[in-house]
Amino acid sequence: MTTPCNKRRSSCPISFSLDVLGDKWTLLVMRDLIFMRKRRFGDFLNSAEKIATNILTQRLRNLEHAEIVTRRTDPENARQVLYELTAKGLDLIPVLLDLIIWGARYDLETGAPQEFLTRAQTDRKGLIEELRNSILEQSSNE
Amino acid sequence: MTTPCNKRRSSCPISFSLDVLGDKWTLLVMRDLIFMRKRRFGDFLNSAEKIATNILTQRLRNLEHAEIVTRRTDPENARQVLYELTAKGLDLIPVLLDLIIWGARYDLETGAPQEFLTRAQTDRKGLIEELRNSILEQSSNE
DNA sequence: CTGTATCCTTAGGGATACTG
DNA sequence: CAGTATCCCTAAGGATACAG
């Protein structure tokens, strides 16, 4: 079942992005990677939205093939696997950030971290840099 | 079939956003509204990705219910219908902008408008303001 | 032009059992 | 822990044809 990546709908940057990210689960996994600092299969499974194991596997493979995450075994524990963001994956931080901002603004039920939001408005670049760096640090300090 | 909007998967701003936008077509319609300045049913149909009529109807209804677009008949032509962005819809410009930037950076096949991209980097806020204003102007000058 | 209505197919996804 | 393997089912989507 070696499907080549021929599922492109058109040649348009947005369409390109959506062909990779535009489904019900992928960006949720990205949220976990970026904001929840999750890196292991079981961590993703435990998220509130309850993704099924087969679907999660599928999405992680997709992200791997898209070179958005890498997969490696934990050097400290050979039975653990770590999924980590590549540079290409880190470059999605702005997208996720904007989704938070919009969601928090219009979702009246959910309380969102206010200090985070104002920070996102006043110092967007700095916030992105900070997120990026602390993720990089987390990955490299083993 | 009056399904209440009970399809929320969790209380999280990103999850909230994705429950509205996270499918194969919705953000493509948003792209057409924001960047292609499309406002009519037939315009959306003519996009490169070839959405089916029933799906398009469905998505436009969703966006209406989510109060992201409004629907009205063209005052200049009673047989035409205009779909237009609300304030809530205009607030999605940043998300779409970031999807363009990321897509353009990593999609090696598609040539993206370079001047637009550099502008997005150097004067993000100004660019968003400009887009927003010119869309508002387009809607109101009838 | 802006849709409805239908039919039909497939992909996406939930549940669960099982494996190295 | 990190998945595979199944089964099964529904929703999503394509392809028309047709209507106001």
PDB file of all heavy atoms in Angstrom, chain C residues 7-20:
ATOM      1  P    DC C   7     -31.968   7.504  -4.129  1.00  0.00           P
ATOM      2  OP1  DC C   7     -33.146   6.728  -4.547  1.00  0.00           O
ATOM      3  OP2  DC C   7     -31.654   7.658  -2.689  1.00  0.00           O
ATOM      4  O5'  DC C   7     -30.680   6.924  -4.849  1.00  0.00           O
ATOM      5  C5'  DC C   7     -30.343   7.311  -6.193  1.00  0.00           C
ATOM      6  C4'  DC C   7     -28.883   6.985  -6.440  1.00  0.00           C
ATOM      7  O4'  DC C   7     -28.068   8.105  -5.996  1.00  0.00           O
ATOM      8  C3'  DC C   7     -28.404   5.772  -5.650  1.00  0.00           C
ATOM      9  O3'  DC C   7     -27.701   4.884  -6.505  1.00  0.00           O
ATOM     10  C2'  DC C   7     -27.503   6.363  -4.577  1.00  0.00           C
ATOM     11  C1'  DC C   7     -26.985   7.616  -5.249  1.00  0.00           C
ATOM     12  N1   DC C   7     -26.537   8.676  -4.299  1.00  0.00           N
ATOM     13  C2   DC C   7     -25.358   9.386  -4.553  1.00  0.00           C
ATOM     14  O2   DC C   7     -24.708   9.128  -5.579  1.00  0.00           O
ATOM     15  N3   DC C   7     -24.955  10.338  -3.678  1.00  0.00           N
ATOM     16  C4   DC C   7     -25.680  10.585  -2.576  1.00  0.00           C
ATOM     17  N4   DC C   7     -25.238  11.529  -1.751  1.00  0.00           N
ATOM     18  C5   DC C   7     -26.886   9.875  -2.304  1.00  0.00           C
ATOM     19  C6   DC C   7     -27.281   8.933  -3.183  1.00  0.00           C
ATOM     20  P    DC C   8     -27.389   3.387  -6.004  1.00  0.00           P
ATOM     21  OP1  DC C   8     -28.041   2.447  -6.920  1.00  0.00           O
ATOM     22  OP2  DC C   8     -27.639   3.285  -4.540  1.00  0.00           O
ATOM     23  O5'  DC C   8     -25.821   3.327  -6.235  1.00  0.00           O
ATOM     24  C5'  DC C   8     -25.128   4.335  -6.969  1.00  0.00           C
ATOM     25  C4'  DC C   8     -23.774   4.586  -6.335  1.00  0.00           C
ATOM     26  O4'  DC C   8     -23.852   5.702  -5.427  1.00  0.00           O
ATOM     27  C3'  DC C   8     -23.243   3.404  -5.522  1.00  0.00           C
ATOM     28  O3'  DC C   8     -22.064   2.915  -6.149  1.00  0.00           O
ATOM     29  C2'  DC C   8     -23.003   3.962  -4.130  1.00  0.00           C
ATOM     30  C1'  DC C   8     -22.960   5.473  -4.361  1.00  0.00           C
ATOM     31  N1   DC C   8     -23.394   6.301  -3.203  1.00  0.00           N
ATOM     32  C2   DC C   8     -22.564   7.336  -2.753  1.00  0.00           C
ATOM     33  O2   DC C   8     -21.487   7.526  -3.332  1.00  0.00           O
ATOM     34  N3   DC C   8     -22.956   8.095  -1.713  1.00  0.00           N
ATOM     35  C4   DC C   8     -24.128   7.859  -1.118  1.00  0.00           C
ATOM     36  N4   DC C   8     -24.471   8.636  -0.094  1.00  0.00           N
ATOM     37  C5   DC C   8     -24.994   6.812  -1.550  1.00  0.00           C
ATOM     38  C6   DC C   8     -24.589   6.059  -2.588  1.00  0.00           C
ATOM     39  P    DT C   9     -21.257   1.667  -5.491  1.00  0.00           P
ATOM     40  OP1  DT C   9     -21.058   0.705  -6.584  1.00  0.00           O
ATOM     41  OP2  DT C   9     -21.916   1.251  -4.235  1.00  0.00           O
ATOM     42  O5'  DT C   9     -19.854   2.321  -5.139  1.00  0.00           O
ATOM     43  C5'  DT C   9     -19.423   3.504  -5.821  1.00  0.00           C
ATOM     44  C4'  DT C   9     -18.268   4.118  -5.047  1.00  0.00           C
ATOM     45  O4'  DT C   9     -18.777   5.044  -4.055  1.00  0.00           O
ATOM     46  C3'  DT C   9     -17.425   3.093  -4.302  1.00  0.00           C
ATOM     47  O3'  DT C   9     -16.071   3.295  -4.664  1.00  0.00           O
ATOM     48  C2'  DT C   9     -17.717   3.344  -2.836  1.00  0.00           C
ATOM     49  C1'  DT C   9     -18.138   4.806  -2.818  1.00  0.00           C
ATOM     50  N1   DT C   9     -19.126   5.172  -1.759  1.00  0.00           N
ATOM     51  C2   DT C   9     -18.880   6.272  -0.966  1.00  0.00           C
ATOM     52  O2   DT C   9     -17.894   6.978  -1.080  1.00  0.00           O
ATOM     53  N3   DT C   9     -19.851   6.540  -0.044  1.00  0.00           N
ATOM     54  C4   DT C   9     -21.016   5.812   0.178  1.00  0.00           C
ATOM     55  O4   DT C   9     -21.801   6.146   1.046  1.00  0.00           O
ATOM     56  C5   DT C   9     -21.195   4.657  -0.671  1.00  0.00           C
ATOM     57  C7   DT C   9     -22.409   3.811  -0.515  1.00  0.00           C
ATOM     58  C6   DT C   9     -20.253   4.398  -1.597  1.00  0.00           C
ATOM     59  P    DT C  10     -14.922   2.282  -4.128  1.00  0.00           P
ATOM     60  OP1  DT C  10     -14.074   1.957  -5.274  1.00  0.00           O
ATOM     61  OP2  DT C  10     -15.542   1.216  -3.306  1.00  0.00           O
ATOM     62  O5'  DT C  10     -14.086   3.232  -3.151  1.00  0.00           O
ATOM     63  C5'  DT C  10     -14.009   4.627  -3.402  1.00  0.00           C
ATOM     64  C4'  DT C  10     -13.697   5.352  -2.105  1.00  0.00           C
ATOM     65  O4'  DT C  10     -14.888   5.414  -1.299  1.00  0.00           O
ATOM     66  C3'  DT C  10     -12.644   4.642  -1.251  1.00  0.00           C
ATOM     67  O3'  DT C  10     -11.533   5.506  -1.151  1.00  0.00           O
ATOM     68  C2'  DT C  10     -13.343   4.375   0.087  1.00  0.00           C
ATOM     69  C1'  DT C  10     -14.504   5.364   0.061  1.00  0.00           C
ATOM     70  N1   DT C  10     -15.714   5.004   0.850  1.00  0.00           N
ATOM     71  C2   DT C  10     -16.181   5.885   1.802  1.00  0.00           C
ATOM     72  O2   DT C  10     -15.635   6.940   2.045  1.00  0.00           O
ATOM     73  N3   DT C  10     -17.309   5.480   2.451  1.00  0.00           N
ATOM     74  C4   DT C  10     -18.018   4.301   2.254  1.00  0.00           C
ATOM     75  O4   DT C  10     -19.023   4.055   2.906  1.00  0.00           O
ATOM     76  C5   DT C  10     -17.483   3.422   1.249  1.00  0.00           C
ATOM     77  C7   DT C  10     -18.173   2.135   0.969  1.00  0.00           C
ATOM     78  C6   DT C  10     -16.367   3.812   0.596  1.00  0.00           C
ATOM     79  P    DA C  11     -10.175   5.073  -0.384  1.00  0.00           P
ATOM     80  OP1  DA C  11      -9.108   5.298  -1.373  1.00  0.00           O
ATOM     81  OP2  DA C  11     -10.339   3.759   0.258  1.00  0.00           O
ATOM     82  O5'  DA C  11     -10.030   6.173   0.768  1.00  0.00           O
ATOM     83  C5'  DA C  11     -10.541   7.490   0.558  1.00  0.00           C
ATOM     84  C4'  DA C  11     -10.848   8.137   1.891  1.00  0.00           C
ATOM     85  O4'  DA C  11     -12.056   7.566   2.442  1.00  0.00           O
ATOM     86  C3'  DA C  11      -9.749   7.931   2.929  1.00  0.00           C
ATOM     87  O3'  DA C  11      -9.596   9.146   3.638  1.00  0.00           O
ATOM     88  C2'  DA C  11     -10.297   6.797   3.798  1.00  0.00           C
ATOM     89  C1'  DA C  11     -11.802   7.047   3.733  1.00  0.00           C
ATOM     90  N9   DA C  11     -12.650   5.858   3.879  1.00  0.00           N
ATOM     91  C8   DA C  11     -12.481   4.646   3.300  1.00  0.00           C
ATOM     92  N7   DA C  11     -13.422   3.775   3.601  1.00  0.00           N
ATOM     93  C5   DA C  11     -14.264   4.471   4.454  1.00  0.00           C
ATOM     94  C6   DA C  11     -15.448   4.119   5.127  1.00  0.00           C
ATOM     95  N6   DA C  11     -16.010   2.904   5.040  1.00  0.00           N
ATOM     96  N1   DA C  11     -16.039   5.061   5.897  1.00  0.00           N
ATOM     97  C2   DA C  11     -15.470   6.277   5.975  1.00  0.00           C
ATOM     98  N3   DA C  11     -14.364   6.723   5.389  1.00  0.00           N
ATOM     99  C4   DA C  11     -13.803   5.765   4.633  1.00  0.00           C
ATOM    100  P    DG C  12      -8.521   9.310   4.820  1.00  0.00           P
ATOM    101  OP1  DG C  12      -7.876  10.626   4.663  1.00  0.00           O
ATOM    102  OP2  DG C  12      -7.716   8.081   4.881  1.00  0.00           O
ATOM    103  O5'  DG C  12      -9.455   9.390   6.100  1.00  0.00           O
ATOM    104  C5'  DG C  12     -10.606  10.241   6.043  1.00  0.00           C
ATOM    105  C4'  DG C  12     -11.363  10.102   7.330  1.00  0.00           C
ATOM    106  O4'  DG C  12     -12.147   8.887   7.308  1.00  0.00           O
ATOM    107  C3'  DG C  12     -10.458  10.023   8.544  1.00  0.00           C
ATOM    108  O3'  DG C  12     -10.990  10.899   9.524  1.00  0.00           O
ATOM    109  C2'  DG C  12     -10.501   8.558   8.953  1.00  0.00           C
ATOM    110  C1'  DG C  12     -11.860   8.104   8.443  1.00  0.00           C
ATOM    111  N9   DG C  12     -11.951   6.714   8.026  1.00  0.00           N
ATOM    112  C8   DG C  12     -11.065   6.022   7.254  1.00  0.00           C
ATOM    113  N7   DG C  12     -11.416   4.786   7.039  1.00  0.00           N
ATOM    114  C5   DG C  12     -12.626   4.658   7.711  1.00  0.00           C
ATOM    115  C6   DG C  12     -13.497   3.530   7.846  1.00  0.00           C
ATOM    116  O6   DG C  12     -13.355   2.405   7.374  1.00  0.00           O
ATOM    117  N1   DG C  12     -14.609   3.833   8.617  1.00  0.00           N
ATOM    118  C2   DG C  12     -14.860   5.050   9.194  1.00  0.00           C
ATOM    119  N2   DG C  12     -15.977   5.155   9.905  1.00  0.00           N
ATOM    120  N3   DG C  12     -14.063   6.115   9.075  1.00  0.00           N
ATOM    121  C4   DG C  12     -12.962   5.838   8.328  1.00  0.00           C
ATOM    122  P    DG C  13     -10.170  11.194  10.862  1.00  0.00           P
ATOM    123  OP1  DG C  13     -10.503  12.551  11.300  1.00  0.00           O
ATOM    124  OP2  DG C  13      -8.756  10.809  10.676  1.00  0.00           O
ATOM    125  O5'  DG C  13     -10.876  10.183  11.853  1.00  0.00           O
ATOM    126  C5'  DG C  13     -12.295  10.229  11.928  1.00  0.00           C
ATOM    127  C4'  DG C  13     -12.809   8.969  12.560  1.00  0.00           C
ATOM    128  O4'  DG C  13     -12.558   7.845  11.703  1.00  0.00           O
ATOM    129  C3'  DG C  13     -12.161   8.606  13.906  1.00  0.00           C
ATOM    130  O3'  DG C  13     -13.185   8.599  14.857  1.00  0.00           O
ATOM    131  C2'  DG C  13     -11.570   7.228  13.673  1.00  0.00           C
ATOM    132  C1'  DG C  13     -12.455   6.726  12.554  1.00  0.00           C
ATOM    133  N9   DG C  13     -11.931   5.612  11.787  1.00  0.00           N
ATOM    134  C8   DG C  13     -10.748   5.540  11.096  1.00  0.00           C
ATOM    135  N7   DG C  13     -10.560   4.391  10.510  1.00  0.00           N
ATOM    136  C5   DG C  13     -11.688   3.652  10.843  1.00  0.00           C
ATOM    137  C6   DG C  13     -12.036   2.331  10.487  1.00  0.00           C
ATOM    138  O6   DG C  13     -11.408   1.518   9.802  1.00  0.00           O
ATOM    139  N1   DG C  13     -13.270   1.972  11.032  1.00  0.00           N
ATOM    140  C2   DG C  13     -14.058   2.789  11.808  1.00  0.00           C
ATOM    141  N2   DG C  13     -15.215   2.282  12.248  1.00  0.00           N
ATOM    142  N3   DG C  13     -13.736   4.028  12.139  1.00  0.00           N
ATOM    143  C4   DG C  13     -12.541   4.393  11.621  1.00  0.00           C
ATOM    144  P    DG C  14     -12.811   8.989  16.357  1.00  0.00           P
ATOM    145  OP1  DG C  14     -13.608  10.183  16.675  1.00  0.00           O
ATOM    146  OP2  DG C  14     -11.348   9.022  16.539  1.00  0.00           O
ATOM    147  O5'  DG C  14     -13.387   7.753  17.194  1.00  0.00           O
ATOM    148  C5'  DG C  14     -14.775   7.662  17.411  1.00  0.00           C
ATOM    149  C4'  DG C  14     -15.128   6.217  17.668  1.00  0.00           C
ATOM    150  O4'  DG C  14     -14.664   5.398  16.580  1.00  0.00           O
ATOM    151  C3'  DG C  14     -14.518   5.623  18.941  1.00  0.00           C
ATOM    152  O3'  DG C  14     -15.578   5.159  19.763  1.00  0.00           O
ATOM    153  C2'  DG C  14     -13.618   4.500  18.453  1.00  0.00           C
ATOM    154  C1'  DG C  14     -14.194   4.164  17.080  1.00  0.00           C
ATOM    155  N9   DG C  14     -13.223   3.651  16.124  1.00  0.00           N
ATOM    156  C8   DG C  14     -12.168   4.334  15.568  1.00  0.00           C
ATOM    157  N7   DG C  14     -11.477   3.627  14.718  1.00  0.00           N
ATOM    158  C5   DG C  14     -12.107   2.397  14.717  1.00  0.00           C
ATOM    159  C6   DG C  14     -11.804   1.220  13.979  1.00  0.00           C
ATOM    160  O6   DG C  14     -10.887   1.036  13.176  1.00  0.00           O
ATOM    161  N1   DG C  14     -12.695   0.193  14.265  1.00  0.00           N
ATOM    162  C2   DG C  14     -13.739   0.292  15.151  1.00  0.00           C
ATOM    163  N2   DG C  14     -14.488  -0.791  15.297  1.00  0.00           N
ATOM    164  N3   DG C  14     -14.041   1.382  15.828  1.00  0.00           N
ATOM    165  C4   DG C  14     -13.176   2.396  15.572  1.00  0.00           C
ATOM    166  P    DA C  15     -15.249   4.710  21.258  1.00  0.00           P
ATOM    167  OP1  DA C  15     -16.447   5.025  22.058  1.00  0.00           O
ATOM    168  OP2  DA C  15     -13.929   5.241  21.653  1.00  0.00           O
ATOM    169  O5'  DA C  15     -15.134   3.139  21.125  1.00  0.00           O
ATOM    170  C5'  DA C  15     -15.993   2.438  20.233  1.00  0.00           C
ATOM    171  C4'  DA C  15     -15.711   0.947  20.342  1.00  0.00           C
ATOM    172  O4'  DA C  15     -14.853   0.525  19.263  1.00  0.00           O
ATOM    173  C3'  DA C  15     -15.008   0.545  21.635  1.00  0.00           C
ATOM    174  O3'  DA C  15     -15.651  -0.585  22.179  1.00  0.00           O
ATOM    175  C2'  DA C  15     -13.570   0.275  21.214  1.00  0.00           C
ATOM    176  C1'  DA C  15     -13.732  -0.158  19.761  1.00  0.00           C
ATOM    177  N9   DA C  15     -12.583   0.185  18.906  1.00  0.00           N
ATOM    178  C8   DA C  15     -11.903   1.369  18.880  1.00  0.00           C
ATOM    179  N7   DA C  15     -10.918   1.393  18.008  1.00  0.00           N
ATOM    180  C5   DA C  15     -10.964   0.146  17.420  1.00  0.00           C
ATOM    181  C6   DA C  15     -10.192  -0.446  16.410  1.00  0.00           C
ATOM    182  N6   DA C  15      -9.188   0.163  15.794  1.00  0.00           N
ATOM    183  N1   DA C  15     -10.495  -1.719  16.044  1.00  0.00           N
ATOM    184  C2   DA C  15     -11.510  -2.340  16.668  1.00  0.00           C
ATOM    185  N3   DA C  15     -12.314  -1.874  17.627  1.00  0.00           N
ATOM    186  C4   DA C  15     -11.982  -0.613  17.960  1.00  0.00           C
ATOM    187  P    DT C  16     -15.212  -1.098  23.626  1.00  0.00           P
ATOM    188  OP1  DT C  16     -16.450  -1.551  24.274  1.00  0.00           O
ATOM    189  OP2  DT C  16     -14.324  -0.108  24.254  1.00  0.00           O
ATOM    190  O5'  DT C  16     -14.339  -2.369  23.267  1.00  0.00           O
ATOM    191  C5'  DT C  16     -14.644  -3.112  22.088  1.00  0.00           C
ATOM    192  C4'  DT C  16     -13.480  -3.988  21.704  1.00  0.00           C
ATOM    193  O4'  DT C  16     -12.569  -3.281  20.822  1.00  0.00           O
ATOM    194  C3'  DT C  16     -12.616  -4.484  22.880  1.00  0.00           C
ATOM    195  O3'  DT C  16     -12.608  -5.891  22.862  1.00  0.00           O
ATOM    196  C2'  DT C  16     -11.243  -3.891  22.599  1.00  0.00           C
ATOM    197  C1'  DT C  16     -11.276  -3.782  21.087  1.00  0.00           C
ATOM    198  N1   DT C  16     -10.282  -2.841  20.484  1.00  0.00           N
ATOM    199  C2   DT C  16      -9.541  -3.276  19.415  1.00  0.00           C
ATOM    200  O2   DT C  16      -9.658  -4.380  18.925  1.00  0.00           O
ATOM    201  N3   DT C  16      -8.649  -2.352  18.922  1.00  0.00           N
ATOM    202  C4   DT C  16      -8.435  -1.065  19.407  1.00  0.00           C
ATOM    203  O4   DT C  16      -7.612  -0.330  18.896  1.00  0.00           O
ATOM    204  C5   DT C  16      -9.243  -0.686  20.534  1.00  0.00           C
ATOM    205  C7   DT C  16      -9.084   0.671  21.124  1.00  0.00           C
ATOM    206  C6   DT C  16     -10.121  -1.579  21.013  1.00  0.00           C
ATOM    207  P    DA C  17     -12.101  -6.739  24.152  1.00  0.00           P
ATOM    208  OP1  DA C  17     -13.293  -7.393  24.736  1.00  0.00           O
ATOM    209  OP2  DA C  17     -11.248  -5.868  24.988  1.00  0.00           O
ATOM    210  O5'  DA C  17     -11.179  -7.845  23.489  1.00  0.00           O
ATOM    211  C5'  DA C  17     -11.425  -8.290  22.154  1.00  0.00           C
ATOM    212  C4'  DA C  17     -10.125  -8.709  21.482  1.00  0.00           C
ATOM    213  O4'  DA C  17      -9.459  -7.554  20.926  1.00  0.00           O
ATOM    214  C3'  DA C  17      -9.115  -9.348  22.453  1.00  0.00           C
ATOM    215  O3'  DA C  17      -8.626 -10.569  21.902  1.00  0.00           O
ATOM    216  C2'  DA C  17      -8.030  -8.300  22.597  1.00  0.00           C
ATOM    217  C1'  DA C  17      -8.091  -7.621  21.241  1.00  0.00           C
ATOM    218  N9   DA C  17      -7.543  -6.259  21.238  1.00  0.00           N
ATOM    219  C8   DA C  17      -7.864  -5.227  22.071  1.00  0.00           C
ATOM    220  N7   DA C  17      -7.202  -4.110  21.823  1.00  0.00           N
ATOM    221  C5   DA C  17      -6.398  -4.441  20.752  1.00  0.00           C
ATOM    222  C6   DA C  17      -5.461  -3.713  20.003  1.00  0.00           C
ATOM    223  N6   DA C  17      -5.172  -2.432  20.256  1.00  0.00           N
ATOM    224  N1   DA C  17      -4.833  -4.345  18.994  1.00  0.00           N
ATOM    225  C2   DA C  17      -5.111  -5.630  18.748  1.00  0.00           C
ATOM    226  N3   DA C  17      -5.977  -6.422  19.366  1.00  0.00           N
ATOM    227  C4   DA C  17      -6.603  -5.759  20.377  1.00  0.00           C
ATOM    228  P    DC C  18      -7.645 -11.517  22.749  1.00  0.00           P
ATOM    229  OP1  DC C  18      -8.024 -12.907  22.456  1.00  0.00           O
ATOM    230  OP2  DC C  18      -7.595 -11.043  24.151  1.00  0.00           O
ATOM    231  O5'  DC C  18      -6.235 -11.223  22.061  1.00  0.00           O
ATOM    232  C5'  DC C  18      -6.128 -11.216  20.630  1.00  0.00           C
ATOM    233  C4'  DC C  18      -4.799 -10.586  20.210  1.00  0.00           C
ATOM    234  O4'  DC C  18      -4.831  -9.166  20.450  1.00  0.00           O
ATOM    235  C3'  DC C  18      -3.581 -11.126  20.977  1.00  0.00           C
ATOM    236  O3'  DC C  18      -2.600 -11.552  20.049  1.00  0.00           O
ATOM    237  C2'  DC C  18      -3.104  -9.928  21.782  1.00  0.00           C
ATOM    238  C1'  DC C  18      -3.556  -8.766  20.905  1.00  0.00           C
ATOM    239  N1   DC C  18      -3.709  -7.466  21.615  1.00  0.00           N
ATOM    240  C2   DC C  18      -2.941  -6.367  21.202  1.00  0.00           C
ATOM    241  O2   DC C  18      -2.145  -6.515  20.255  1.00  0.00           O
ATOM    242  N3   DC C  18      -3.069  -5.170  21.844  1.00  0.00           N
ATOM    243  C4   DC C  18      -3.938  -5.057  22.858  1.00  0.00           C
ATOM    244  N4   DC C  18      -4.045  -3.872  23.447  1.00  0.00           N
ATOM    245  C5   DC C  18      -4.741  -6.161  23.297  1.00  0.00           C
ATOM    246  C6   DC C  18      -4.595  -7.329  22.652  1.00  0.00           C
ATOM    247  P    DT C  19      -1.408 -12.524  20.608  1.00  0.00           P
ATOM    248  OP1  DT C  19      -1.432 -13.731  19.759  1.00  0.00           O
ATOM    249  OP2  DT C  19      -1.488 -12.615  22.074  1.00  0.00           O
ATOM    250  O5'  DT C  19      -0.103 -11.695  20.222  1.00  0.00           O
ATOM    251  C5'  DT C  19       0.089 -11.200  18.889  1.00  0.00           C
ATOM    252  C4'  DT C  19       1.267 -10.231  18.893  1.00  0.00           C
ATOM    253  O4'  DT C  19       0.872  -8.998  19.538  1.00  0.00           O
ATOM    254  C3'  DT C  19       2.491 -10.745  19.673  1.00  0.00           C
ATOM    255  O3'  DT C  19       3.652 -10.485  18.912  1.00  0.00           O
ATOM    256  C2'  DT C  19       2.464  -9.912  20.947  1.00  0.00           C
ATOM    257  C1'  DT C  19       1.890  -8.608  20.424  1.00  0.00           C
ATOM    258  N1   DT C  19       1.280  -7.699  21.439  1.00  0.00           N
ATOM    259  C2   DT C  19       1.764  -6.416  21.534  1.00  0.00           C
ATOM    260  O2   DT C  19       2.663  -5.988  20.846  1.00  0.00           O
ATOM    261  N3   DT C  19       1.138  -5.647  22.490  1.00  0.00           N
ATOM    262  C4   DT C  19       0.103  -6.016  23.321  1.00  0.00           C
ATOM    263  O4   DT C  19      -0.367  -5.230  24.126  1.00  0.00           O
ATOM    264  C5   DT C  19      -0.341  -7.382  23.170  1.00  0.00           C
ATOM    265  C7   DT C  19      -1.467  -7.882  24.028  1.00  0.00           C
ATOM    266  C6   DT C  19       0.251  -8.148  22.245  1.00  0.00           C
ATOM    267  P    DG C  20       4.914 -11.472  19.004  1.00  0.00           P
ATOM    268  OP1  DG C  20       5.116 -12.087  17.687  1.00  0.00           O
ATOM    269  OP2  DG C  20       4.729 -12.313  20.208  1.00  0.00           O
ATOM    270  O5'  DG C  20       6.117 -10.457  19.263  1.00  0.00           O
ATOM    271  C5'  DG C  20       6.537  -9.531  18.259  1.00  0.00           C
ATOM    272  C4'  DG C  20       7.440  -8.484  18.904  1.00  0.00           C
ATOM    273  O4'  DG C  20       6.644  -7.669  19.800  1.00  0.00           O
ATOM    274  C3'  DG C  20       8.562  -9.077  19.755  1.00  0.00           C
ATOM    275  O3'  DG C  20       9.720  -8.246  19.648  1.00  0.00           O
ATOM    276  C2'  DG C  20       7.999  -9.000  21.169  1.00  0.00           C
ATOM    277  C1'  DG C  20       7.193  -7.706  21.108  1.00  0.00           C
ATOM    278  N9   DG C  20       6.080  -7.610  22.045  1.00  0.00           N
ATOM    279  C8   DG C  20       5.170  -8.579  22.368  1.00  0.00           C
ATOM    280  N7   DG C  20       4.267  -8.173  23.233  1.00  0.00           N
ATOM    281  C5   DG C  20       4.613  -6.864  23.493  1.00  0.00           C
ATOM    282  C6   DG C  20       4.004  -5.905  24.350  1.00  0.00           C
ATOM    283  O6   DG C  20       3.018  -6.043  25.062  1.00  0.00           O
ATOM    284  N1   DG C  20       4.681  -4.689  24.319  1.00  0.00           N
ATOM    285  C2   DG C  20       5.790  -4.428  23.554  1.00  0.00           C
ATOM    286  N2   DG C  20       6.293  -3.210  23.644  1.00  0.00           N
ATOM    287  N3   DG C  20       6.358  -5.315  22.748  1.00  0.00           N
ATOM    288  C4   DG C  20       5.719  -6.504  22.772  1.00  0.00           C
TER     289       DG C  20
END
